Amino acid sequence: MKDSSHPKKENSLKHVLFGSLIGTTIEFFDFYIYANAAVLVFPQLFFPSADSTNSVLLSLATFSIAFLSRPLGSAVFGHYGDKIGRKTTLVVALLTMGISTVSIGFLPSYASIGIAAPLLLMLCRFGQGVGLGGEWGGAVLLAIENAPPNKRAWYGMFPQLGAPIGLLLSGGTFLILTDTMSSQDFLDYGWRIPFIASSLLVVVGFYIRLKITETPAFENAKKEEEVKVPFFTLIKFYKNQLIFGTFAAITTFLVFYLMTVFTLSWATSDLGYSKRDFLLMQLFSVLFFALFIPVSALMADRVGRRQMLIYATTAIALFGFVFSFFMNSGSPVLVTLFLCVGMALMGFTYGPLGTFLSELFPTNVRYSGTSLAFNMAGIIGAAFAPMIAIWLATHYSLTYVGFYLTFAACISLFSLLVISKKEHKF
């Protein structure tokens, strides 16, 4: 009894919450610097073409690879997270993401090694997806499995804050580099700096994760009947929760990548905004993303996680109808307002999402179930979202990009309404 009870109590509240936050901040910083580079740098360096639109589309295709590999990370890390524990799994997931990101910073361009350059880039992007696929679910569980029942959404929003913080850091880094370097120097070597510098963040995260002990919920679950293969148990007994949980989360992904990757690409290539000005507008809007995550978590602990997501998804469905009006307004003020509203809605849906998904599954398959639902939603909602949105805007209009968002929100809303309301013990 001594060996199983004392270590758990050494984790202070601050230690647990910071441990969950720091990992997701690092992971999302790594993930988003790729998103920025995929729009600003990679089309020229890794996918040179006479047609600039083709270069951007090819670059964004590599962006989608990480979403395709995230469920693999969910399955692998989820399996070991449910079998051997959250701590070790989280450490390995962080290292997988970190090594993949730093490697991108050292890749030679297409001009140096030809087709091998984009192939190596895709391999690194695949590794990023595997790492993030295992990281997110474990970080959420680290927080909520240490939370009192009436504050699960509040605890669960700390790892969610890693997304806006990581986005602010990545966008801010690229903004500083483009402001302080010539365009040629930035293309030659400047873009590599954030990828290589992320190694410092990984070291910090690695140290903090090593100090964290297992969650009480996992320790208690070990005393019960062991699940040999969590994935098979999920498919057999929790298939509906997995399916509807996945579709409930797709709008969260879609609204985010429309407001970031798509708008950055479209505004700077078709609407005449400079990259610097639009990055500043986006970074300002991210503050609203960060602000409304804790607001939505507080509300979710009062009205319920599912109910909060229903409210947020309904608002996003309506937001799709004004997408074209604001983006085509020609007014930087209205476009900034549009970005701020979109990011505020993102905060409303993202804040309680991790807690909502984790409550769909029992402890012995929770890591696998939560991670798979979240990351399969990433494939459906985000993997090809920027490409689809660019195609719709090019061949039809921005109005249809808004319809695309509204349609996805209706699917999520339906899933939220029909999903099982049963909550498993922690």
Side-chain angles (χ1 to χ4, degrees):
M1 293 179 53
K2 190 176 180 180
D3 56 333
S4 64
S5 60
H6 287 297
K8 289 185 293 181
K9 295 182 180 178
E10 292 176 3
N11 276 339
S12 67
L13 174 60
K14 290 181 180 178
H15 200 169
V16 167
L17 296 182
F18 185 64
S20 65
L21 172 62
I22 186 67
T24 53
T25 298
I26 295 166
E27 300 276 1
F28 281 106
F29 171 77
D30 290 356
F31 207 68
Y32 295 150
I33 56 176
Y34 190 100
N36 282 320
V39 173
L40 303 175
V41 178
F42 294 161
Q44 300 98 300
L45 293 185
F46 290 91
F47 304 97
S49 170
D51 187 339
S52 60
T53 301
N54 282 342
S55 294
V56 171
L57 288 174
L58 286 171
S59 180
L60 290 178
T62 68
F63 174 78
S64 69
I65 289 173
F67 291 98
L68 300 177
S69 63
R70 277 167 72 160
L72 175 62
S74 301
V76 173
F77 287 110
H79 174 84
Y80 289 105
D82 285 326
K83 294 283 286 183
I84 65 175
R86 305 350 184 175
K87 174 186 172 177
T88 303
T89 309
L90 279 170
V91 169
V92 178
L94 183 65
L95 288 177
T96 302
M97 182 74 168
I99 292 170
S100 300
T101 302
V102 174
S103 297
I104 292 174
F106 292 101
L107 290 181
S109 67
Y110 186 93
S112 300
I113 60 171
I115 192 66
L119 291 177
L120 287 172
L121 180 67
M122 288 188 282
L123 179 63
C124 291
R125 183 59 173 168
F126 182 86
Q128 278 193 318
V130 171
L132 187 55
E135 159 68 27
W136 180 85
V140 168
L141 298 194
L142 177 64
I144 66 170
E145 288 186 348
N146 282 283
N150 63 334
K151 289 188 176 181
R152 273 195 213 124
W154 178 252
Y155 277 51
M157 71 90 187
F158 278 87
Q160 303 296 71
L161 280 174
I165 294 173
L167 185 57
L168 282 169
L169 289 174
S170 62
T173 301
F174 269 89
L175 191 62
I176 291 170
L177 290 172
T178 54
D179 270 359
T180 56
M181 305 178 76
S182 68
S183 297
Q184 191 58 49
D185 285 344
F186 179 70
L187 277 176
D188 286 344
Y189 66 90
W191 68 272
R192 301 178 184 274
I193 294 173
F195 288 93
I196 298 171
S198 71
S199 59
L200 301 176
L201 294 175
V202 172
V203 170
V204 174
F206 181 71
Y207 172 75
I208 293 171
R209 286 282 171 83
L210 284 178
K211 291 174 68 70
I212 295 172
T213 58
E214 278 303 339
T215 68
F218 180 77
E219 293 290 349
N220 292 332
K222 287 199 301 185
K223 302 170 186 174
E224 301 174 1
E225 184 179 354
E226 183 181 2
V227 174
K228 292 183 178 181
V229 184
F231 178 77
F232 292 153
T233 302
L234 274 174
I235 299 302
K236 185 174 182 180
F237 297 106
Y238 304 100
K239 182 168 56 180
N240 287 342
Q241 288 90 331
L242 191 60
I243 292 172
F244 289 117
T246 295
F247 283 104
I250 61 171
T251 302
T252 302
F253 281 93
L254 181 57
V255 70
F256 179 78
Y257 285 100
L258 288 183
M259 303 310 297
T260 53
V261 179
F262 168 71
T263 56
L264 177 61
S265 177
W266 190 258
T268 56
S269 61
D270 290 77
L271 299 183
Y273 290 90
S274 71
K275 291 176 181 177
R276 182 185 184 279
D277 288 345
F278 203 80
L279 275 174
L280 278 172
M281 293 158 66
Q282 281 193 327
L283 285 175
F284 179 69
S285 72
V286 174
L287 297 176
F288 290 82
F289 180 20
L291 173 64
F292 283 96
I293 286 176
V295 170
S296 67
L298 286 171
M299 293 175 63
D301 276 331
R302 289 185 172 89
V303 304
R305 272 66 83 177
R306 176 172 164 273
Q307 196 62 39
M308 186 64 221
L309 287 172
I310 289 173
Y311 294 153
T313 305
T314 302
I316 291 170
L318 297 174
F319 178 70
F321 290 111
V322 299
F323 197 100
S324 175
F325 171 79
F326 281 98
M327 275 294 284
N328 279 331
S329 66
S331 166
V333 174
L334 287 179
V335 172
T336 303
L337 175 63
F338 164 75
L339 294 173
C340 291
V341 172
M343 282 301 197
L345 291 173
M346 175 63 193
F348 268 119
T349 185
Y350 196 61
L353 181 65
T355 308
F356 167 76
L357 291 177
S358 68
E359 289 175 341
L360 296 176
F361 307 98
T363 304
N364 55 8
V365 294
R366 185 172 292 136
Y367 200 136
S368 300
T370 304
S371 298
L372 279 169
F374 183 77
N375 290 300
M376 286 194 301
I379 291 181
I380 301 169
F384 303 102
M387 295 174 64
I388 292 171
I390 288 174
W391 186 84
L392 286 171
T394 302
H395 290 85
Y396 297 96
S397 69
L398 282 173
T399 301
Y400 285 83
V401 179
F403 291 162
Y404 175 34
L405 178 59
T406 298
F407 178 70
C410 289
I411 293 174
S412 291
L413 187 59
F414 173 79
S415 300
L416 288 164
L417 292 172
V418 302
I419 202 166
S420 170
K421 301 180 183 67
K422 181 182 178 182
E423 193 176 297
H424 296 277
K425 73 173 186 175
F426 278 70

